[in-house]
Amino acid sequence: MKRLGLDNESEGAINGDGPVDNGNEEKKNEASAVPKLFLLKGLNTDSGNFATPASFDGIEKFKDVRDEDALFGCIAECRVTKSPAEINLLRYTNWISSMAHVEVMRACKPGMMEYQLESLFQHHTYTHGGCRHMSYTCICACGPNGNILHYGHAGRPNSRLLTSSDIALLDMGAEYHCYASDITCSFPVSGTFTKDQRAVYESVLAAQVRVMRELKLGVSWTETHRDAEREILKGLIECGVLTLGGGTDINTVIEEMLDVDLGAIFMPHGMGHLIGIDTHDVGGYATGTPQRSPRPGLRKL
């Protein structure tokens, strides 16, 4: 039976019983059939970590088919968009970490050591959440140690005695099934803010609330960082840490402060970052996307 739209030669070609010149097609298939060895190599532009290609005995045999360019970009793009299962994992590890922070707040009192707060956090996340590892080294910066960015490392361990006048700045997050959490909170060790402590705390809280309200598709990450700086500068002016310097309109003065990057003095780090398998996950400044600003503060985004 003849198929509609096909002549005898075409029909024979499809059925395999007629002469067909498949030379060009075979060449294409041969070209596409050449095996490649894809290796993961690339820079995480946020954390600064570099993915080093795998190596094994005999890898030199594959030197003509190695591809170290294609895989990293594809994997990074996949990691930016989380599946429902990944979102559930991130919710879980952040929930467990949040509950652990609450327990540490309840237990914290003058006379304790910073490392005891770290120990309580780790105990809660492991005992009640099954989180064997931390996403990063715990930061329990109390009193003046809160001025040290990423305090808590081996060179500056959590080793200070807490006093009643301290603010505890705790930055800790557990890891679960390789997915990270990253939570920072501040509170008075005595349980009661002083007037100055409350003013600074509420400035940061206002910045956080403003940014969370603004977050939606299409919003500039850089602009949310600037808005966070605006709220912090406003709070510092209102509590007397900064002055209007002869100006009369607070909003105008704040914009002038931003023009000279004064906000970066009080918030030297980025306002936020992507999170996932890495605490500072890949994908923030991928090839073909707007590049990171070189300005203070913004260059930490």
Side-chain angles (χ1 to χ4, degrees), residues 74-267:
C74 294
I75 295 295
E77 185 173 349
C78 289
R79 282 172 56 172
V80 169
T81 303
K82 305 298 192 288
S83 69
E86 288 177 303
I87 291 172
N88 283 336
L89 274 172
L90 286 168
R91 282 177 175 156
Y92 177 77
T93 186
N94 279 276
W95 176 72
I96 286 293
S97 296
S98 297
M99 295 301 100
H101 272 286
V102 171
E103 289 302 312
V104 172
M105 287 183 198
R106 287 172 175 159
C108 182
K109 60 183 179 181
M112 294 180 69
M113 300 295 291
E114 289 172 330
Y115 59 74
Q116 290 179 288
L117 306 184
E118 176 183 10
S119 178
L120 287 170
F121 182 87
Q122 293 173 331
H123 172 73
H124 186 92
T125 55
Y126 199 0
T127 301
H128 300 287
C131 301
R132 187 175 186 182
H133 302 290
M134 297 292 104
S135 299
Y136 49 92
T137 302
C138 291
I139 300 169
C140 298
C142 299
N145 291 337
N147 295 313
I148 303 173
L149 197 60
H150 298 150
Y151 173 81
H153 55 78
R156 295 299 299 268
N158 299 314
S159 57
R160 185 176 184 275
L161 181 72
L162 278 61
T163 70
S164 60
S165 61
D166 286 348
I167 286 286
L169 187 157
L170 307 185
D171 183 353
M172 301 183 286
E175 175 186 300
Y176 187 73
H177 285 201
C178 298
Y179 281 81
S181 60
D182 185 352
I183 300 172
T184 303
C185 59
S186 299
F187 58 91
V189 171
S190 67
T192 304
F193 284 107
T194 65
K195 181 180 178 181
D196 290 341
Q197 289 171 344
R198 180 177 293 277
V200 174
Y201 179 91
E202 290 185 345
S203 297
V204 177
L205 178 60
Q208 181 182 20
V209 170
R210 178 168 177 174
V211 169
M212 292 178 69
R213 285 175 177 168
E214 292 176 349
L215 287 181
K216 61 181 179 180
L217 291 175
V219 170
S220 166
W221 195 229
T222 300
E223 192 56 32
T224 59
H225 178 97
R226 283 303 200 197
D227 284 343
E229 289 184 326
R230 288 183 177 97
E231 291 296 333
I232 289 173
L233 291 171
K234 179 183 177 183
L236 293 176
I237 291 171
E238 290 175 343
C239 71
V241 174
L242 298 174
T243 70
L244 294 178
T248 56
D249 181 68
I250 187 171
N251 292 321
T252 300
V253 172
I254 288 173
E255 294 307 312
E256 292 171 351
M257 290 177 173
L258 291 177
D259 287 341
V260 295
D261 299 311
L262 185 61
I265 300 297
F266 300 96
M267 195 172 82

Side-chain angles (χ1 to χ4, degrees), residues 44-48 149-150 182 221-222 224-226 229 261 263-274 279-281 284-285 291-301:
N44 181 332
T45 56
D46 198 331
S47 68
L149 197 60
H150 298 150
D182 185 352
W221 195 229
T222 300
T224 59
H225 178 97
R226 283 303 200 197
E229 289 184 326
D261 299 311
I265 300 297
F266 300 96
M267 195 172 82
H269 50 79
M271 187 272 301
H273 54 84
L274 299 177
T279 306
H280 286 236
D281 215 3
Y285 290 90
Q291 294 304 293
R292 179 182 275 114
S293 171
R295 298 184 64 171
L298 295 176
R299 63 181 175 226
K300 297 296 184 180
L301 277 175

